[in-house]
Amino acid sequence: MIAVMFGPPGSGKGTQANRVAARLNLPHIATGDILRAEIARGSELGREAAPIMARGELLPDDLIVRIIEARLQEPDAAAGALLDGFPRTVAQAKALDAMLRRRRRAVDVVVVLNVPDEELWTRMRRRAEEEGRADDTDEAFAQRLVVYREETAPVLGYYRSRGSRIVEVDGVGPIDTVTERITTALAQGAPKARAS
Ligand code: AMP
């Protein structure tokens, strides 16, 4: 199964994707985590990515698509993956479709975490104190919200127009409750096994 965890910055995508992937026995592939690991390693990619990420802007589509393509070829992703933070533009979604089509696969479900803006700001400020991420500043976060609205939100419209399965979940509440909501919604809408 190829699942996409979708939502604005601060919606809890990473936390929930990690938990849901474990339950579904899928690798959790988070482009933001991959990039932060490259920065920590001091690689060339990391050096290129760091200032762009710190400003709250997006990395070029072709670069991100290459990272995902390589990651999806690793053996642990043979049965699928839970993608987090990708695709973030319609161009990335189209590139993902093309890459999956070559393997006779498709995005099976998009999980959308709905969280109001005030809550996103509260969570970001809490995370800034706890984790000290370079892009958890008021300025970078405002920019990430703009980028989300202008470039990432249309990805959902793209999947809707393709008739993909979309599961919308209320992302406000205790972490366990939100995880339950997601797993329940995924199980409820799962295609039924045909009686034989
Ligand atoms: P995240 O951890 O998902 O919030 O991502 C942190 C930052 O990494 C983003 O604000 C972007 O600068 C960069 N990034 C992560 N995923 C992507 C992507 N799919 N396309 C472009 N940039 C990305």
Side-chain angles (χ1 to χ4, degrees):
M1 166 155 99
I2 304 280
V4 172
M5 186 68 72
F6 198 88
S11 59
K13 280 193 311 300
T15 305
Q16 295 300 337
N18 203 12
R19 298 170 136 232
V20 173
R23 290 211 192 176
L24 299 177
N25 207 12
L26 292 172
H28 168 208
I29 300 181
T31 42
D33 288 350
I34 294 172
L35 294 168
R36 280 184 288 275
E38 292 292 328
I39 293 174
R41 235 161 40 87
S43 68
E44 198 182 321
L45 169 59
R47 281 198 298 278
E48 192 185 330
I52 301 174
M53 289 171 73
R55 288 197 300 271
E57 288 164 11
L58 295 183
L59 272 86
D61 289 331
D62 56 341
L63 191 144
I64 292 287
V65 167
R66 266 184 281 139
I67 292 175
I68 283 288
E69 182 142 37
R71 181 63 186 85
L72 284 176
Q73 273 162 17
E74 285 179 33
D76 66 335
L82 178 51
L83 303 177
D84 157 16
F86 178 91
R88 251 179 163 98
T89 64
V90 172
Q92 291 179 16
K94 288 183 176 170
L96 175 64
D97 273 353
M99 143 189 355
L100 294 174
R101 213 176 302 126
R102 287 197 289 276
R103 295 177 212 172
R104 311 219 184 306
R105 310 189 79 133
V107 169
D108 296 290
V109 62
V110 180
V111 178
V112 184
L113 281 179
N114 288 318
V115 177
D117 273 17
E118 318 85 72
E119 175 74 11
L120 299 176
W121 279 97
T122 308
R123 290 185 186 181
M124 180 281 288
R125 292 194 173 120
R126 197 184 319 135
R127 185 169 66 183
E129 282 173 19
E130 288 167 3
E131 296 176 24
R133 262 175 65 158
D135 55 354
D136 278 343
T137 61
D138 281 11
E139 207 184 0
F141 194 72
Q143 178 59 23
R144 286 159 67 200
L145 286 175
V146 168
V147 168
Y148 177 77
R149 255 176 234 120
E150 292 180 354
E151 306 211 43
T152 306
V155 172
L156 201 52
Y158 170 78
Y159 284 121
R160 274 195 219 293
S161 73
R162 307 257 305 154
S164 307
R165 183 173 169 223
I166 296 175
V167 169
E168 297 217 37
V169 173
D170 175 6
V172 180
I175 291 175
D176 284 345
T177 308
V178 177
T179 308
E180 274 321 310
R181 283 181 199 142
I182 297 170
T183 46
T184 305
L186 283 175
Q188 273 173 356
K192 304 268 182 310
R194 235 177 339 150
S196 53

